[in-house]
Amino acid sequence: MTVKKLDVAIVGGGIAGLWTLNALRRQGYSAVLFEAQALGWDQTLASQGMIHGGLKYALNGRLNSASEAIAGMPERWRSCLAGQLSQPGDIDLTGVPLQSDRYYMFAASKGLGRLTSFFASKALRGRINKVAEPDWPKALHGLDGSVYCLNDFVVDTRVLIDHLAGAQHPFVYQQKLDASNVEVRDSGFAISTKDGDVQVTHLISCAGNGSVELLASLDIPLAVQQRPLKQVIVTPTHNHELYAHCLTGVTSNEPRLTITTDHTSEQTRWYLGGKIATGGVDRDDEAQIAFAQAEMQSCLGWLDWTDANYEVLYVDRAEPKTQSGTRPDEAYVEKHGDFVLCFPTKLALAPDLADQVLAQLPPPQFPQPDPLNLSTAIRGTSPWQAH
């Protein structure tokens, strides 16, 4: 049987792997993707879908490396959504609808402190604007305070995954890669599949938590860290949508609540992240639910939460290991021989990740392959569907 030769095999079918696959093939690389379980199942579908410009990282009233590393991403994604591709890592997202075209920050009266003057500063012109009360989201009618609109938006990660995978449908496969079917060669890697052997020049891991096992099985000395979250899914009796950060009495460089909504004709669910999720890892599930109930009453008490249902969602985020153990500010790409380890670190940085991967690879060598006779990977289930 003839050995198929390719430029790249990608491991992991979340936003990082699928975006990078599209970018590589757009630039002429012969590339395929292998997913062990289901597309987006671990971290992408559990994210809140925000394409943000980093201001939620500057709640101490100062711009910093974290806020500025991502500042240009909303506009770059909007260009992709319009089909205007100007950079190597850009992908055509024409036809992908937004879940929300706006994202807000709100706080009760006098709840912003010195952030009020920071938000009005020249440094933030064009990135945040105060919203007149008649234009507030309906869910915030009843707030005695202030509302600001960001240049951020929300994508439906399910639709996004379907779009990215659909564009490369013949080359997205269901197969786990580990020491049993991957062999390190002097130049590249040999991958054993049911449709014969594939030889690739570079193996790129975008597998998140799955990268830990892959690195160990191939004896590659790169490290991964986990940062857990305990998020909350709330099913209220009202049907209001909200995409916003609550900053009332914020005491850290992180929103008190980050709220997104999954809204259908049958049911509305609110997804709670922010400080409630990072701090929630120190609470058991019962205490986390009690805390969430108190937060909803404190931050959005004009809405009816009497018969709302609360569920805990545990998410173990994987990232490149840092000396301090803190969240990396930028997308991460590290090359070890012919192996490349990738983490976007934030959904919004997927285009930047692809730029970095392309910058580290040699020019394409092999022609586009015929599809392998393997099962096609399918999209996973989002937390909205699973709960």
Side-chain angles (χ1 to χ4, degrees):
M1 184 178 292
T2 302
V3 175
K4 295 180 175 66
K5 295 184 178 182
L6 307 175
D7 295 312
V8 173
I10 297 171
V11 186
I15 182 63
L18 287 168
W19 193 289
T20 301
L21 175 67
N22 276 266
L24 288 174
R25 291 184 60 81
R26 177 178 171 242
Q27 296 299 325
Y29 288 87
S30 55
V32 296
L33 182 146
F34 296 97
E35 165 57 43
Q37 299 196 46
L39 300 174
W41 76 276
D42 187 18
Q43 294 188 97
T44 302
L45 289 172
S47 75
Q48 292 187 279
M50 286 181 295
I51 308 302
H52 68 89
L55 284 187
K56 71 171 187 170
Y57 300 140
L59 298 183
N60 59 357
R62 295 189 301 273
L63 299 175
N64 52 58
S65 58
S67 65
E68 298 314 282
I70 198 171
M73 286 299 106
E75 285 307 314
R76 186 165 179 188
W77 276 73
R78 288 186 189 277
S79 292
C80 291
L81 289 161
Q84 299 168 357
L85 313 183
S86 60
Q87 299 186 55
D90 288 348
I91 299 301
D92 189 347
L93 300 181
T94 304
V96 175
L98 297 184
Q99 194 160 328
S100 175
D101 190 43
R102 293 285 182 272
Y103 212 89
Y104 298 91
M105 286 182 170
F106 72 94
S109 182
K110 299 181 181 179
L112 286 175
R114 61 179 181 173
L115 285 175
T116 302
S117 57
F118 176 57
F119 289 164
S121 67
K122 291 182 180 179
L124 297 188
R125 189 167 295 168
R127 296 174 66 175
I128 185 169
N129 295 290
K130 193 169 185 179
V131 182
E133 188 169 347
D135 298 324
W136 289 3
K138 289 183 179 179
L140 296 181
H141 291 178
L143 169 71
D144 178 15
S146 302
V147 177
Y148 294 82
C149 182
L150 300 164
N151 188 32
D152 303 350
F153 56 92
V154 182
V155 296
D156 186 326
T157 54
R158 296 163 295 195
V159 176
L160 180 62
I161 287 172
D162 287 344
H163 179 88
L164 294 173
Q168 305 298 336
H169 173 75
F171 305 104
V172 178
Y173 307 118
Q174 178 82 45
Q175 180 169 320
K176 182 178 181 180
L177 298 192
D178 56 26
S180 70
N181 53 24
V182 180
E183 181 181 344
V184 181
R185 297 287 176 86
D186 291 337
S187 178
F189 298 83
I191 300 172
S192 176
T193 78
K194 293 179 181 179
D195 192 33
D197 292 343
V198 176
Q199 185 173 320
V200 300
T201 305
H202 288 88
L203 185 64
I204 299 177
S205 180
C206 300
N209 284 299
S211 293
V212 176
E213 183 180 348
L214 184 63
L215 290 167
S217 68
L218 299 179
D219 196 27
I220 293 174
L222 299 176
V224 177
Q225 68 185 25
Q226 277 83 32
R227 282 197 309 117
L229 293 173
K230 189 174 280 190
Q231 297 183 291
V232 179
I233 296 177
V234 184
T235 306
T237 53
H238 62 72
N239 65 348
H240 290 297
E241 295 183 354
L242 187 59
Y243 302 89
H245 303 293
C246 175
L247 306 187
T248 300
V250 66
T251 58
S252 68
N253 201 18
E254 184 177 22
R256 181 172 174 177
L257 293 173
T258 292
I259 304 164
T260 51
T261 310
D262 188 72
H263 183 76
T264 67
S265 58
E266 295 83 22
Q267 200 166 41
T268 296
R269 291 189 177 99
W270 285 25
Y271 195 1
L272 308 183
K275 187 67 174 177
I276 190 173
T278 54
V281 298
D282 297 323
R283 295 183 282 267
D284 62 29
D285 288 1
E286 184 176 351
Q288 178 71 338
I289 288 174
F291 186 84
Q293 290 171 324
E295 285 292 88
M296 301 312 285
Q297 193 59 45
S298 175
C299 295
L300 295 122
W302 56 89
L303 297 177
D304 183 11
W305 302 104
T306 307
D307 296 315
N309 182 63
Y310 294 79
E311 300 168 85
V312 170
L313 176 67
Y314 184 85
V315 179
D316 200 3
R317 289 178 297 181
E319 301 167 338
K321 187 174 180 60
T322 62
Q323 278 193 327
S324 63
T326 57
R327 178 192 63 239
D329 293 336
E330 301 175 338
Y332 169 94
V333 176
E334 185 165 355
K335 196 167 181 286
H336 180 81
D338 297 322
F339 185 92
V340 184
L341 180 62
C342 299
F343 293 92
T345 70
K346 307 170 188 70
L347 179 74
L349 284 170
D352 183 57
L353 178 80
D355 287 345
Q356 292 189 44
V357 171
L358 286 163
Q360 295 205 28
L361 294 181
Q365 180 180 356
F366 299 108
Q368 298 298 336
D370 293 329
L372 299 171
N373 187 23
L374 299 175
S375 298
T376 301
I378 61 172
R379 174 168 52 82
T381 301
S382 74
W384 314 113
Q385 297 166 306
H387 284 67

